[in-house]
Amino acid sequence: MNLNSPLFDRIRTQREPREEKRGSTTIKCDSPGCGAEGAYRAPMGRLREGQYFCFCLDHVREYNAKYNYFNGMKDDDVARYMKDATVGHRPTWTMGTRRGATGFREDGGPTGDPLGMYRARHHRRAPEKAEPRYSPVTMRALAALGFDDMPGPEAIRARYKELVKRHHPDANGGDRSREEKLREIIHAYKTLRAARLA
């Protein structure tokens, strides 16, 4: 190790004692007539965010007991503030499938659509009167009851009752040859009820 190196000269093994500041200032309590040290901060209020009073311990306790952030606000304003607090006072837009509703982001809602990306997707959607698609299981159940298209719930129930009466062994003098068809009809009706179509 070279003791004459310029790098060795900068290494310190112990900290040098700092010079204590002379005349260090202490903050006095902001309460009128109090000369104690103001070591505790208290917010000045709603319209003065980031500004604080400095109080001694007794006066900060007294101030905090009386402090009201919403002092001077109307009830409607307080309710609106608390509602906005649930989302962190950030702008939001409605969610869901109602794309035509006002405030939806594709329509230039709070965030806008400067590049038109959402607008193009919005105009490509299917026509409004498109019939809902049903699963193959539902279509087979409808076929088992003898329907080609989608009937109403009353028509499904009426057809079910008619077919059960026609194929039930008690209505056929105890003949069990149509029992398999009866099971198929009952299963089809249960499938349609599970799909909330009957």
Side-chain angles (χ1 to χ4, degrees), residues 96-124:
T97 57
R98 295 184 53 204
R99 291 183 169 279
T102 56
F104 197 74
R105 69 171 174 243
E106 283 108 357
D107 298 333
T111 58
D113 186 16
L115 301 177
M117 292 173 18
Y118 298 116
R119 211 174 317 116
R121 191 181 314 152
H122 176 62
H123 293 296
R124 283 184 289 178

PDB file of all heavy atoms in Angstrom, residues 96-124:
ATOM      1  N   GLY A  96     -69.858  -1.127 -18.620  1.00  0.00           N
ATOM      2  CA  GLY A  96     -70.963  -1.999 -18.949  1.00  0.00           C
ATOM      3  C   GLY A  96     -71.165  -2.094 -20.441  1.00  0.00           C
ATOM      4  O   GLY A  96     -70.322  -1.694 -21.242  1.00  0.00           O
ATOM      5  N   THR A  97     -72.314  -2.596 -20.829  1.00  0.00           N
ATOM      6  CA  THR A  97     -72.573  -2.859 -22.241  1.00  0.00           C
ATOM      7  C   THR A  97     -73.363  -1.754 -22.907  1.00  0.00           C
ATOM      8  O   THR A  97     -73.625  -1.839 -24.094  1.00  0.00           O
ATOM      9  CB  THR A  97     -73.356  -4.179 -22.381  1.00  0.00           C
ATOM     10  OG1 THR A  97     -74.554  -4.070 -21.617  1.00  0.00           O
ATOM     11  CG2 THR A  97     -72.525  -5.338 -21.907  1.00  0.00           C
ATOM     12  N   ARG A  98     -73.749  -0.729 -22.198  1.00  0.00           N
ATOM     13  CA  ARG A  98     -74.527   0.352 -22.794  1.00  0.00           C
ATOM     14  C   ARG A  98     -73.599   1.320 -23.509  1.00  0.00           C
ATOM     15  O   ARG A  98     -73.295   2.391 -23.032  1.00  0.00           O
ATOM     16  CB  ARG A  98     -75.332   1.073 -21.722  1.00  0.00           C
ATOM     17  CG  ARG A  98     -76.381   0.195 -21.103  1.00  0.00           C
ATOM     18  CD  ARG A  98     -77.225   0.930 -20.125  1.00  0.00           C
ATOM     19  NE  ARG A  98     -77.764   2.128 -20.734  1.00  0.00           N
ATOM     20  CZ  ARG A  98     -78.143   3.178 -20.049  1.00  0.00           C
ATOM     21  NH1 ARG A  98     -78.046   3.187 -18.756  1.00  0.00           N
ATOM     22  NH2 ARG A  98     -78.637   4.231 -20.653  1.00  0.00           N
ATOM     23  N   ARG A  99     -73.166   0.943 -24.674  1.00  0.00           N
ATOM     24  CA  ARG A  99     -72.198   1.749 -25.406  1.00  0.00           C
ATOM     25  C   ARG A  99     -72.784   3.068 -25.887  1.00  0.00           C
ATOM     26  O   ARG A  99     -72.067   4.005 -26.128  1.00  0.00           O
ATOM     27  CB  ARG A  99     -71.650   0.970 -26.599  1.00  0.00           C
ATOM     28  CG  ARG A  99     -70.791  -0.181 -26.193  1.00  0.00           C
ATOM     29  CD  ARG A  99     -70.235  -0.854 -27.418  1.00  0.00           C
ATOM     30  NE  ARG A  99     -69.205  -1.793 -27.087  1.00  0.00           N
ATOM     31  CZ  ARG A  99     -67.956  -1.479 -26.841  1.00  0.00           C
ATOM     32  NH1 ARG A  99     -67.577  -0.243 -26.857  1.00  0.00           N
ATOM     33  NH2 ARG A  99     -67.068  -2.408 -26.569  1.00  0.00           N
ATOM     34  N   GLY A 100     -74.069   3.158 -26.059  1.00  0.00           N
ATOM     35  CA  GLY A 100     -74.669   4.387 -26.545  1.00  0.00           C
ATOM     36  C   GLY A 100     -74.895   5.413 -25.453  1.00  0.00           C
ATOM     37  O   GLY A 100     -75.294   6.537 -25.728  1.00  0.00           O
ATOM     38  N   ALA A 101     -74.659   5.048 -24.206  1.00  0.00           N
ATOM     39  CA  ALA A 101     -74.920   5.958 -23.094  1.00  0.00           C
ATOM     40  C   ALA A 101     -73.913   7.100 -23.099  1.00  0.00           C
ATOM     41  O   ALA A 101     -72.796   6.973 -23.572  1.00  0.00           O
ATOM     42  CB  ALA A 101     -74.843   5.196 -21.768  1.00  0.00           C
ATOM     43  N   THR A 102     -74.320   8.236 -22.573  1.00  0.00           N
ATOM     44  CA  THR A 102     -73.413   9.384 -22.520  1.00  0.00           C
ATOM     45  C   THR A 102     -72.318   9.124 -21.506  1.00  0.00           C
ATOM     46  O   THR A 102     -72.534   8.469 -20.494  1.00  0.00           O
ATOM     47  CB  THR A 102     -74.181  10.654 -22.113  1.00  0.00           C
ATOM     48  OG1 THR A 102     -74.828  10.399 -20.877  1.00  0.00           O
ATOM     49  CG2 THR A 102     -75.179  11.043 -23.175  1.00  0.00           C
ATOM     50  N   GLY A 103     -71.156   9.642 -21.783  1.00  0.00           N
ATOM     51  CA  GLY A 103     -70.026   9.477 -20.888  1.00  0.00           C
ATOM     52  C   GLY A 103     -69.199   8.258 -21.177  1.00  0.00           C
ATOM     53  O   GLY A 103     -68.222   7.996 -20.500  1.00  0.00           O
ATOM     54  N   PHE A 104     -69.577   7.456 -22.165  1.00  0.00           N
ATOM     55  CA  PHE A 104     -68.780   6.281 -22.500  1.00  0.00           C
ATOM     56  C   PHE A 104     -67.520   6.735 -23.203  1.00  0.00           C
ATOM     57  O   PHE A 104     -67.528   7.707 -23.952  1.00  0.00           O
ATOM     58  CB  PHE A 104     -69.590   5.325 -23.387  1.00  0.00           C
ATOM     59  CG  PHE A 104     -69.017   3.942 -23.449  1.00  0.00           C
ATOM     60  CD1 PHE A 104     -69.148   3.099 -22.363  1.00  0.00           C
ATOM     61  CD2 PHE A 104     -68.340   3.500 -24.551  1.00  0.00           C
ATOM     62  CE1 PHE A 104     -68.623   1.827 -22.390  1.00  0.00           C
ATOM     63  CE2 PHE A 104     -67.813   2.236 -24.589  1.00  0.00           C
ATOM     64  CZ  PHE A 104     -67.955   1.402 -23.510  1.00  0.00           C
ATOM     65  N   ARG A 105     -66.403   6.059 -22.966  1.00  0.00           N
ATOM     66  CA  ARG A 105     -65.116   6.570 -23.418  1.00  0.00           C
ATOM     67  C   ARG A 105     -65.003   6.699 -24.932  1.00  0.00           C
ATOM     68  O   ARG A 105     -64.316   7.550 -25.430  1.00  0.00           O
ATOM     69  CB  ARG A 105     -63.980   5.717 -22.883  1.00  0.00           C
ATOM     70  CG  ARG A 105     -63.926   4.337 -23.479  1.00  0.00           C
ATOM     71  CD  ARG A 105     -62.649   3.630 -23.066  1.00  0.00           C
ATOM     72  NE  ARG A 105     -62.722   2.280 -23.557  1.00  0.00           N
ATOM     73  CZ  ARG A 105     -62.739   1.213 -22.810  1.00  0.00           C
ATOM     74  NH1 ARG A 105     -62.673   1.329 -21.523  1.00  0.00           N
ATOM     75  NH2 ARG A 105     -62.812   0.026 -23.346  1.00  0.00           N
ATOM     76  N   GLU A 106     -65.716   5.850 -25.718  1.00  0.00           N
ATOM     77  CA  GLU A 106     -65.635   5.960 -27.169  1.00  0.00           C
ATOM     78  C   GLU A 106     -66.335   7.207 -27.677  1.00  0.00           C
ATOM     79  O   GLU A 106     -66.091   7.666 -28.766  1.00  0.00           O
ATOM     80  CB  GLU A 106     -66.233   4.728 -27.850  1.00  0.00           C
ATOM     81  CG  GLU A 106     -65.313   3.547 -27.804  1.00  0.00           C
ATOM     82  CD  GLU A 106     -65.790   2.488 -26.839  1.00  0.00           C
ATOM     83  OE1 GLU A 106     -66.812   2.717 -26.181  1.00  0.00           O
ATOM     84  OE2 GLU A 106     -65.130   1.455 -26.736  1.00  0.00           O
ATOM     85  N   ASP A 107     -67.247   7.748 -26.889  1.00  0.00           N
ATOM     86  CA  ASP A 107     -67.974   8.929 -27.309  1.00  0.00           C
ATOM     87  C   ASP A 107     -67.261  10.203 -26.885  1.00  0.00           C
ATOM     88  O   ASP A 107     -67.856  11.276 -26.909  1.00  0.00           O
ATOM     89  CB  ASP A 107     -69.382   8.921 -26.699  1.00  0.00           C
ATOM     90  CG  ASP A 107     -70.179   7.731 -27.183  1.00  0.00           C
ATOM     91  OD1 ASP A 107     -69.892   7.256 -28.291  1.00  0.00           O
ATOM     92  OD2 ASP A 107     -71.073   7.281 -26.454  1.00  0.00           O
ATOM     93  N   GLY A 108     -66.007  10.099 -26.500  1.00  0.00           N
ATOM     94  CA  GLY A 108     -65.274  11.287 -26.069  1.00  0.00           C
ATOM     95  C   GLY A 108     -65.593  11.643 -24.643  1.00  0.00           C
ATOM     96  O   GLY A 108     -65.831  12.790 -24.333  1.00  0.00           O
ATOM     97  N   GLY A 109     -65.616  10.658 -23.790  1.00  0.00           N
ATOM     98  CA  GLY A 109     -65.913  10.867 -22.376  1.00  0.00           C
ATOM     99  C   GLY A 109     -64.786  11.625 -21.705  1.00  0.00           C
ATOM    100  O   GLY A 109     -64.097  12.430 -22.322  1.00  0.00           O
ATOM    101  N   PRO A 110     -64.548  11.386 -20.410  1.00  0.00           N
ATOM    102  CA  PRO A 110     -63.539  12.141 -19.669  1.00  0.00           C
ATOM    103  C   PRO A 110     -62.133  12.006 -20.248  1.00  0.00           C
ATOM    104  O   PRO A 110     -61.360  12.948 -20.193  1.00  0.00           O
ATOM    105  CB  PRO A 110     -63.599  11.546 -18.266  1.00  0.00           C
ATOM    106  CG  PRO A 110     -64.835  10.762 -18.205  1.00  0.00           C
ATOM    107  CD  PRO A 110     -65.250  10.444 -19.588  1.00  0.00           C
ATOM    108  N   THR A 111     -61.809  10.852 -20.825  1.00  0.00           N
ATOM    109  CA  THR A 111     -60.460  10.684 -21.344  1.00  0.00           C
ATOM    110  C   THR A 111     -60.348  11.086 -22.799  1.00  0.00           C
ATOM    111  O   THR A 111     -59.262  11.331 -23.291  1.00  0.00           O
ATOM    112  CB  THR A 111     -60.010   9.217 -21.212  1.00  0.00           C
ATOM    113  OG1 THR A 111     -60.936   8.398 -21.927  1.00  0.00           O
ATOM    114  CG2 THR A 111     -59.959   8.796 -19.769  1.00  0.00           C
ATOM    115  N   GLY A 112     -61.475  11.139 -23.512  1.00  0.00           N
ATOM    116  CA  GLY A 112     -61.446  11.498 -24.924  1.00  0.00           C
ATOM    117  C   GLY A 112     -60.894  10.355 -25.763  1.00  0.00           C
ATOM    118  O   GLY A 112     -60.497   9.312 -25.263  1.00  0.00           O
ATOM    119  N   ASP A 113     -60.907  10.547 -27.078  1.00  0.00           N
ATOM    120  CA  ASP A 113     -60.394   9.542 -28.009  1.00  0.00           C
ATOM    121  C   ASP A 113     -59.689  10.280 -29.136  1.00  0.00           C
ATOM    122  O   ASP A 113     -60.198  10.354 -30.259  1.00  0.00           O
ATOM    123  CB  ASP A 113     -61.552   8.682 -28.523  1.00  0.00           C
ATOM    124  CG  ASP A 113     -61.086   7.526 -29.393  1.00  0.00           C
ATOM    125  OD1 ASP A 113     -59.882   7.206 -29.342  1.00  0.00           O
ATOM    126  OD2 ASP A 113     -61.915   6.961 -30.111  1.00  0.00           O
ATOM    127  N   PRO A 114     -58.503  10.843 -28.864  1.00  0.00           N
ATOM    128  CA  PRO A 114     -57.862  11.687 -29.870  1.00  0.00           C
ATOM    129  C   PRO A 114     -57.462  10.941 -31.133  1.00  0.00           C
ATOM    130  O   PRO A 114     -57.429  11.532 -32.205  1.00  0.00           O
ATOM    131  CB  PRO A 114     -56.630  12.241 -29.147  1.00  0.00           C
ATOM    132  CG  PRO A 114     -56.376  11.288 -28.042  1.00  0.00           C
ATOM    133  CD  PRO A 114     -57.708  10.717 -27.657  1.00  0.00           C
ATOM    134  N   LEU A 115     -57.201   9.637 -31.061  1.00  0.00           N
ATOM    135  CA  LEU A 115     -56.772   8.890 -32.242  1.00  0.00           C
ATOM    136  C   LEU A 115     -57.915   8.138 -32.915  1.00  0.00           C
ATOM    137  O   LEU A 115     -57.732   7.554 -33.972  1.00  0.00           O
ATOM    138  CB  LEU A 115     -55.665   7.894 -31.853  1.00  0.00           C
ATOM    139  CG  LEU A 115     -54.414   8.521 -31.242  1.00  0.00           C
ATOM    140  CD1 LEU A 115     -53.432   7.448 -30.836  1.00  0.00           C
ATOM    141  CD2 LEU A 115     -53.767   9.480 -32.222  1.00  0.00           C
ATOM    142  N   GLY A 116     -59.091   8.132 -32.324  1.00  0.00           N
ATOM    143  CA  GLY A 116     -60.238   7.464 -32.915  1.00  0.00           C
ATOM    144  C   GLY A 116     -60.166   5.953 -32.852  1.00  0.00           C
ATOM    145  O   GLY A 116     -60.842   5.272 -33.606  1.00  0.00           O
ATOM    146  N   MET A 117     -59.354   5.409 -31.955  1.00  0.00           N
ATOM    147  CA  MET A 117     -59.190   3.956 -31.871  1.00  0.00           C
ATOM    148  C   MET A 117     -60.467   3.286 -31.385  1.00  0.00           C
ATOM    149  O   MET A 117     -60.883   2.264 -31.901  1.00  0.00           O
ATOM    150  CB  MET A 117     -58.038   3.611 -30.926  1.00  0.00           C
ATOM    151  CG  MET A 117     -56.710   4.020 -31.476  1.00  0.00           C
ATOM    152  SD  MET A 117     -55.304   3.826 -30.352  1.00  0.00           S
ATOM    153  CE  MET A 117     -55.819   2.752 -29.113  1.00  0.00           C
ATOM    154  N   TYR A 118     -61.114   3.857 -30.377  1.00  0.00           N
ATOM    155  CA  TYR A 118     -62.303   3.246 -29.824  1.00  0.00           C
ATOM    156  C   TYR A 118     -63.510   3.475 -30.727  1.00  0.00           C
ATOM    157  O   TYR A 118     -64.395   2.648 -30.825  1.00  0.00           O
ATOM    158  CB  TYR A 118     -62.597   3.798 -28.435  1.00  0.00           C
ATOM    159  CG  TYR A 118     -61.511   3.508 -27.450  1.00  0.00           C
ATOM    160  CD1 TYR A 118     -60.760   4.528 -26.866  1.00  0.00           C
ATOM    161  CD2 TYR A 118     -61.211   2.198 -27.107  1.00  0.00           C
ATOM    162  CE1 TYR A 118     -59.760   4.246 -25.972  1.00  0.00           C
ATOM    163  CE2 TYR A 118     -60.204   1.910 -26.203  1.00  0.00           C
ATOM    164  CZ  TYR A 118     -59.485   2.942 -25.636  1.00  0.00           C
ATOM    165  OH  TYR A 118     -58.509   2.667 -24.752  1.00  0.00           O
ATOM    166  N   ARG A 119     -63.557   4.615 -31.398  1.00  0.00           N
ATOM    167  CA  ARG A 119     -64.678   4.942 -32.257  1.00  0.00           C
ATOM    168  C   ARG A 119     -64.809   3.937 -33.393  1.00  0.00           C
ATOM    169  O   ARG A 119     -65.896   3.501 -33.743  1.00  0.00           O
ATOM    170  CB  ARG A 119     -64.507   6.354 -32.811  1.00  0.00           C
ATOM    171  CG  ARG A 119     -65.790   7.054 -33.052  1.00  0.00           C
ATOM    172  CD  ARG A 119     -65.606   8.518 -33.464  1.00  0.00           C
ATOM    173  NE  ARG A 119     -64.603   9.230 -32.709  1.00  0.00           N
ATOM    174  CZ  ARG A 119     -63.480   9.731 -33.244  1.00  0.00           C
ATOM    175  NH1 ARG A 119     -63.232   9.602 -34.516  1.00  0.00           N
ATOM    176  NH2 ARG A 119     -62.606  10.360 -32.499  1.00  0.00           N
ATOM    177  N   ALA A 120     -63.700   3.524 -34.005  1.00  0.00           N
ATOM    178  CA  ALA A 120     -63.736   2.569 -35.113  1.00  0.00           C
ATOM    179  C   ALA A 120     -64.281   1.227 -34.638  1.00  0.00           C
ATOM    180  O   ALA A 120     -65.079   0.592 -35.317  1.00  0.00           O
ATOM    181  CB  ALA A 120     -62.335   2.393 -35.688  1.00  0.00           C
ATOM    182  N   ARG A 121     -63.883   0.798 -33.462  1.00  0.00           N
ATOM    183  CA  ARG A 121     -64.369  -0.460 -32.911  1.00  0.00           C
ATOM    184  C   ARG A 121     -65.855  -0.359 -32.587  1.00  0.00           C
ATOM    185  O   ARG A 121     -66.608  -1.290 -32.754  1.00  0.00           O
ATOM    186  CB  ARG A 121     -63.577  -0.810 -31.651  1.00  0.00           C
ATOM    187  CG  ARG A 121     -63.822  -2.203 -31.176  1.00  0.00           C
ATOM    188  CD  ARG A 121     -63.058  -2.531 -29.925  1.00  0.00           C
ATOM    189  NE  ARG A 121     -61.680  -2.119 -29.982  1.00  0.00           N
ATOM    190  CZ  ARG A 121     -60.959  -1.793 -28.927  1.00  0.00           C
ATOM    191  NH1 ARG A 121     -61.490  -1.849 -27.730  1.00  0.00           N
ATOM    192  NH2 ARG A 121     -59.716  -1.424 -29.046  1.00  0.00           N
ATOM    193  N   HIS A 122     -66.286   0.822 -32.169  1.00  0.00           N
ATOM    194  CA  HIS A 122     -67.669   1.035 -31.785  1.00  0.00           C
ATOM    195  C   HIS A 122     -68.604   0.921 -32.997  1.00  0.00           C
ATOM    196  O   HIS A 122     -69.698   0.399 -32.903  1.00  0.00           O
ATOM    197  CB  HIS A 122     -67.803   2.413 -31.136  1.00  0.00           C
ATOM    198  CG  HIS A 122     -69.189   2.800 -30.784  1.00  0.00           C
ATOM    199  ND1 HIS A 122     -69.940   2.101 -29.876  1.00  0.00           N
ATOM    200  CD2 HIS A 122     -69.974   3.802 -31.230  1.00  0.00           C
ATOM    201  CE1 HIS A 122     -71.120   2.674 -29.760  1.00  0.00           C
ATOM    202  NE2 HIS A 122     -71.174   3.703 -30.575  1.00  0.00           N
ATOM    203  N   HIS A 123     -68.193   1.382 -34.161  1.00  0.00           N
ATOM    204  CA  HIS A 123     -69.051   1.382 -35.337  1.00  0.00           C
ATOM    205  C   HIS A 123     -69.088   0.040 -36.049  1.00  0.00           C
ATOM    206  O   HIS A 123     -69.905  -0.151 -36.931  1.00  0.00           O
ATOM    207  CB  HIS A 123     -68.614   2.482 -36.301  1.00  0.00           C
ATOM    208  CG  HIS A 123     -68.846   3.850 -35.734  1.00  0.00           C
ATOM    209  ND1 HIS A 123     -70.101   4.319 -35.463  1.00  0.00           N
ATOM    210  CD2 HIS A 123     -67.986   4.827 -35.362  1.00  0.00           C
ATOM    211  CE1 HIS A 123     -70.011   5.536 -34.957  1.00  0.00           C
ATOM    212  NE2 HIS A 123     -68.739   5.871 -34.884  1.00  0.00           N
ATOM    213  N   ARG A 124     -68.214  -0.903 -35.693  1.00  0.00           N
ATOM    214  CA  ARG A 124     -68.195  -2.209 -36.341  1.00  0.00           C
ATOM    215  C   ARG A 124     -69.083  -3.234 -35.663  1.00  0.00           C
ATOM    216  O   ARG A 124     -69.094  -4.381 -36.038  1.00  0.00           O
ATOM    217  CB  ARG A 124     -66.768  -2.767 -36.357  1.00  0.00           C
ATOM    218  CG  ARG A 124     -65.919  -2.132 -37.414  1.00  0.00           C
ATOM    219  CD  ARG A 124     -64.604  -2.808 -37.412  1.00  0.00           C
ATOM    220  NE  ARG A 124     -63.906  -2.403 -36.199  1.00  0.00           N
ATOM    221  CZ  ARG A 124     -62.723  -2.828 -35.836  1.00  0.00           C
ATOM    222  NH1 ARG A 124     -62.096  -3.701 -36.561  1.00  0.00           N
ATOM    223  NH2 ARG A 124     -62.157  -2.406 -34.741  1.00  0.00           N
TER     224      ARG A 124
END
